[in-house]
Amino acid sequence: MAETIDCRGLACPEPVLRVKAALGAAPAGAVSVRVDDPAARENVRRFAESQGCAVDVRDDGAGWLVTAVRGGACAEALAGPGAAATPEPAATAVLIASDGLGPEPELGKILLRAFLNTLGQASRRPAKLLFLNRGVFLTTEGSEALEALAELERGGTEILSCGTCLEFLGKKGALRVGKVSNMYDTVETLTGSYRVVSLS
């Protein structure tokens, strides 16, 4: 009997995070999630398929029941006989040059906080987060992202804030998580062996 998780009414990305936790606790077997939003249904389905699960989606009249089934035989069938091992991906560095994500200021702040909170649940956390320009408002006193960033730092992610930016924006001495960095370190990261993701 599959475990059923009720995710009705939950905002993105909570349904996916709950399914991720349930699949992590049960490496083989079935997990079902009940959702009432088409976007949540598709997000859960795509995530489960990305984890090698067979997925069944049923409309139950009040929403959808998405069931993900995973097991050794299923994983082997997906991989195929004699499949080559997947190369280890490069470590990721994320460049954050604003205190919001996208052109709409209030929405952008909500989205960036959600991104940082969700980053702690990722299967591969970034090696570095580089904060430049108004991005340093996220690492300094008064930021609503400090807890999420501190958790990432405890998990091994290096949090680096531009020293010039801190000084220019009047935040020198207000850093609350991570270390002060400089443009040389930033350039070395961006031109080195890291896979770089830039948020704006």
Side-chain angles (χ1 to χ4, degrees), residues 15 35-46 57 64-66:
V35 295
D36 55 2
D37 179 75
R41 176 196 66 202
E42 290 306 301
N43 288 339
V44 168
R45 178 187 61 77
R46 284 196 302 271
V57 180
W64 295 272
L65 187 66
V66 184

Side-chain angles (χ1 to χ4, degrees), residues 31-74:
V31 173
S32 292
V33 57
R34 194 175 300 282
V35 295
D36 55 2
D37 179 75
R41 176 196 66 202
E42 290 306 301
N43 288 339
V44 168
R45 178 187 61 77
R46 284 196 302 271
F47 171 75
E49 288 175 346
S50 78
Q51 301 304 298
C53 297
V55 180
D56 177 66
V57 180
R58 296 188 184 184
D59 186 340
D60 64 3
W64 295 272
L65 187 66
V66 184
T67 302
V69 182
R70 183 169 65 182
C74 179

Side-chain angles (χ1 to χ4, degrees), residues 106-187:
E106 290 307 310
L107 174 60
K109 289 178 181 179
I110 293 168
L111 292 175
L112 191 48
R113 283 200 306 272
F115 173 82
L116 293 172
N117 285 327
T118 307
L119 207 52
Q121 307 298 320
S123 54
R124 283 183 56 84
R125 296 184 181 193
K128 293 185 180 186
L129 294 182
L130 307 172
F131 294 89
L132 277 71
N133 210 309
R134 291 186 62 85
V136 300
F137 282 107
L138 296 164
T139 61
T140 52
E141 186 174 356
S143 167
E144 294 182 13
L146 291 178
E147 188 177 336
L149 292 174
E151 192 218 331
L152 284 163
E153 188 175 45
R154 287 192 293 270
T157 297
E158 196 173 3
I159 310 292
L160 300 168
S161 293
C162 164
T164 301
C165 305
L166 289 166
E167 186 166 359
F168 184 89
L169 294 168
K171 288 292 187 175
K172 189 176 181 181
L175 190 67
R176 294 294 175 266
V177 62
K179 303 172 189 172
V180 177
S181 185
N182 57 66
M183 193 55 72
Y184 178 79
D185 290 339
T186 300
V187 169

